[in-house]
Amino acid sequence: MTEQAQPFDLATEALFIGGLYSNPILFVEYESLIKSKYDFYDHDTKFLYDSFEIFYKTFSQEVTESKITMFMQQDNDRFKRYKEIGGWKTIERQIELSDTGDIQNYFNIVKKYSLIREFERKGFPVHKLINNKHFPKMKPEDIVNFMSYNISNISTVIGGGNSAVVLGNNATKKIKDWSVTPDMGHEFPFPSWTNLFRGWRTKKLILDGMLSNEGKSRKIARIAAFMSLFKKTPVLILANEMDEDEFFAMLLSAVMNNEEFGFNYNIPERNILLGTYDNEDQYNKAIEVGQYIEKNTKVYFLEMNTYSDEDLKREIKKYSLLGVKYAFYDTLKGFKTDAWDTLKQTATMLKDIGKELDIGVYGSFQLSDEAANLDIQDFTSGVIANSKQMKHICDHMLLGRRIPKGKYGKYNIQNEWGVIPLDPNKVYYGNKVEKNRGGQKEIINLFEVNLDLNTWKEVGFLIMAE
């Protein structure tokens, strides 16, 4: 009599776990797909996966015997279980047997059996399918197709689709909830942005375009400093044009010269980089700011030497696991190509990953050289250097430039105190709100800017002079 096949594969579960411990970055790829409650039949394997998840998110992203043992010892029950299943020797044996190059196959097998067990729990006959001669070659989607007529009855993280909702069936509750907790996102250092966009809400993609060499990265450093150091919110900066020292210098000048951090020392970034302080007191102030940053920073910075969509997605996922809720990408550009549609694809990926991970994403991009010849009120998505179709994907789009001093007389500043002319002794930048899913658009937000101090002071809205 032929022995009946079982709805699990313990060996492959162990190999998958061994792959994660062998190459922890793989966890980033599979974390959102694995649900240990369903996917691991073996209790010891489930324990090792659950422990690894906590270890990676809260303790370290490097796996060594000493780090794993130290982590396990932090909880008495966890350490007792760890010793019961053989401790590090068990993990080491799984690492040795696993081939990380084959981990996608391990994943498919684990998921396939997980799906089979879910069908079985719902009372469907699965043994005929398990004993089918083609079963070893089947993938999870083949299982779903095989039982497609029953799939609507399966409530599982593995293969189910989305169900429509009755829109408005909880209208009263939502209205009451919004009256207590308004649908506002994270505060910006610029009050008008907070008001116009209803803050930076998670799942929202902001695209900010400027001309070349006009301060795209400095503005990001200014916003990141405010969110991280002042508001204590972890942020991620991915950069493909600036290195760590360059971005840190911009962050440092932002903290040093903006009053919400408590300093406002008026020390130019150039002085810091060259070490040419006016006096010893100015040097001591710089050291004071450095100590403040060391104590308070929550900025993760990564220079992207390769910046394909897959590279970006992997890094954003990785740092979202470490608590990051807002990510900056500076600058959107085609990877190994100048094809216009690659920017649209990257913007689409950024929007999708923001929705998947419930994080906010901010991307800077470059305007075309022809935009330098246009007045800012004439800016449209047509001045985007590569792909104006990015506008259709994002939630908020800003198009900005330095206002030429020769054109100051064409404009006025409108703010809460009235209408005033532009000051010829100051430098102004305009941000045209090209798209806004949070409220008003087609207005031009005006900043008084000093790039060497990295100060961006909102002064009102730019309007045409009569």
Side-chain angles (χ1 to χ4, degrees), residues 193 200 205-211 215-221 223 237-242 247 312 327-334 343 346-347 350 361-367 384-386 390 396-399 431:
W193 281 26
W200 189 359
L205 172 63
I206 300 171
L207 294 180
D208 190 0
M210 297 176 66
L211 292 164
K216 295 189 297 295
S217 301
R218 279 177 168 79
K219 190 195 291 184
I220 285 178
I223 299 170
I237 299 176
L238 303 173
N240 56 36
E241 292 186 346
M242 299 280 188
F247 237 103
L312 294 169
F328 299 85
Y329 178 40
D330 182 49
T331 307
L332 269 79
K333 59 175 62 177
L343 274 157
T346 300
L350 293 175
V361 182
Y362 181 115
S364 67
F365 63 92
Q366 185 173 320
L367 301 181
I384 298 175
N386 293 77
M390 291 195 302
H396 312 285
M397 176 174 279
L398 298 158
L399 303 176
N431 264 138

Side-chain angles (χ1 to χ4, degrees), residues 321-387:
L321 296 176
L322 302 179
V324 164
K325 297 296 289 184
Y326 296 91
F328 299 85
Y329 178 40
D330 182 49
T331 307
L332 269 79
K333 59 175 62 177
F335 181 58
K336 297 183 178 180
T337 178
D338 292 325
W340 67 267
D341 57 342
T342 56
L343 274 157
K344 178 185 177 184
Q345 293 171 5
T346 300
T348 302
M349 181 278 294
L350 293 175
K351 175 65 177 175
D352 289 345
I353 199 68
K355 290 174 65 176
E356 177 187 338
L357 302 177
D358 190 26
I359 65 172
V361 182
Y362 181 115
S364 67
F365 63 92
Q366 185 173 320
L367 301 181
S368 65
D369 293 338
E370 292 77 11
N373 301 318
L374 296 175
D375 289 338
I376 189 168
Q377 74 270 17
D378 297 323
F379 276 10
T380 68
S381 58
V383 302
I384 298 175
N386 293 77
S387 177

Side-chain angles (χ1 to χ4, degrees), residues 56-182:
Y56 188 93
K57 291 181 178 180
T58 66
F59 192 82
S60 175
Q61 289 79 56
E62 180 187 11
V63 171
T64 64
E65 180 179 0
S66 60
K67 287 186 176 181
I68 290 292
T69 302
M70 189 181 304
F71 166 74
M72 294 294 183
Q73 288 174 337
Q74 290 181 340
D75 182 275
N76 290 334
D77 291 338
R78 183 170 65 206
F79 186 54
K80 179 181 178 182
R81 182 72 186 281
Y82 176 64
K83 292 191 295 183
E84 287 175 351
I85 66 172
W88 175 254
K89 289 184 178 180
T90 296
I91 296 174
E92 188 175 40
R93 186 162 58 251
Q94 292 177 349
I95 290 174
E96 291 173 351
L97 293 173
S98 180
D99 178 0
T100 55
D102 206 24
I103 196 163
Q104 181 63 40
N105 185 44
Y106 301 155
F107 170 79
N108 286 337
I109 294 172
V110 167
K111 279 293 185 181
K112 179 171 68 174
Y113 279 102
S114 179
L115 186 56
I116 284 291
R117 291 194 298 274
E118 187 66 11
F119 273 108
E120 187 176 45
R121 276 193 291 268
K122 297 298 182 181
F124 299 111
V126 297
H127 288 287
K128 182 178 179 181
L129 177 58
I130 296 175
N131 288 286
N132 188 296
K133 65 179 181 180
H134 299 295
F135 180 76
K137 297 180 180 180
M138 286 185 174
K139 295 181 178 180
E141 56 266 31
D142 298 322
I143 305 299
V144 173
N145 291 335
F146 192 87
M147 292 188 163
S148 60
Y149 65 95
N150 287 316
I151 196 63
S152 61
N153 295 318
I154 298 294
S155 175
T156 178
V157 298
I158 305 164
N162 295 323
S163 299
V165 299
V166 180
L167 191 62
N169 69 334
N170 59 346
T172 304
K173 181 180 183 302
K174 282 193 176 295
I175 293 169
K176 290 179 179 179
D177 288 346
W178 286 333
S179 70
V180 176
T181 308

Side-chain angles (χ1 to χ4, degrees), residues 215-238:
K216 295 189 297 295
S217 301
R218 279 177 168 79
K219 190 195 291 184
I220 285 178
R222 173 71 181 94
I223 299 170
F226 174 84
M227 295 179 68
S228 167
L229 293 155
F230 185 60
K231 292 296 184 178
K232 314 300 183 187
T233 302
V235 301
L236 168 67
I237 299 176
L238 303 173

Side-chain angles (χ1 to χ4, degrees), residues 249 252-253 256-257 267-277 286:
L252 179 62
S253 60
M256 186 174 295
N257 300 307
I267 302 175
E269 181 183 313
R270 178 180 175 83
N271 291 29
I272 303 167
L273 291 171
L274 296 178
T276 54
Y277 298 95

